[in-house]
Amino acid sequence: MTFQLLISTMYKTKDEILEDDIENSILSNIDKVMRDTDPASVFINPYPFLSVLVKQIVAFDEKNKYILNENNYGRLSEKISQMIVDRFLKVIERSGQDTARAKYIIVFFASGILESFKMWYNHQSTLSLEELCRRMSNLIRKGIVIATAPRADD
């Protein structure tokens, strides 16, 4: 290992520190959104949650180049997804409901939200952020109704 490689692995660059600061700020804001969100209300009407969630992510618009581009988004996306899944599963567990089936629905929900947002951001969509949230809300609401309906094979 060369001295330069050793130093570069020991110390973060200024850009890496900036990325971490931006990411931590976004995650802190999303954590607050998650604490203030009633998961049961999200299943009935996801729009308010989606609207607040994506506004928190884009709140750092100029600095988003570091976080929300195609190359770096995975790390942040995984953390946000895990926050959503953990929060919703805790509420379901506390209510005494079975989390086995709900877990897959929530993971699908979180992944779909974040991937749709990533596509919107990286492809400079002409669709407004509000319209994107409305469309996702409609799809989620209809999908949850179908996914949670009792089935003969259950």
Side-chain angles (χ1 to χ4, degrees), residues 63-78:
K63 297 173 184 171
N64 279 340
K65 294 176 209 166
Y66 296 106
I67 299 294
L68 297 177
N69 67 50
E70 299 264 351
N71 299 325
N72 298 332
Y73 188 73
R75 181 177 69 178
L76 179 61
S77 177
E78 286 177 23

Side-chain angles (χ1 to χ4, degrees), residues 48-61:
F49 169 71
L50 293 174
S51 180
V52 171
L53 180 67
V54 295
K55 284 177 184 171
Q56 287 301 321
I57 295 171
V58 297
F60 298 92
D61 194 47

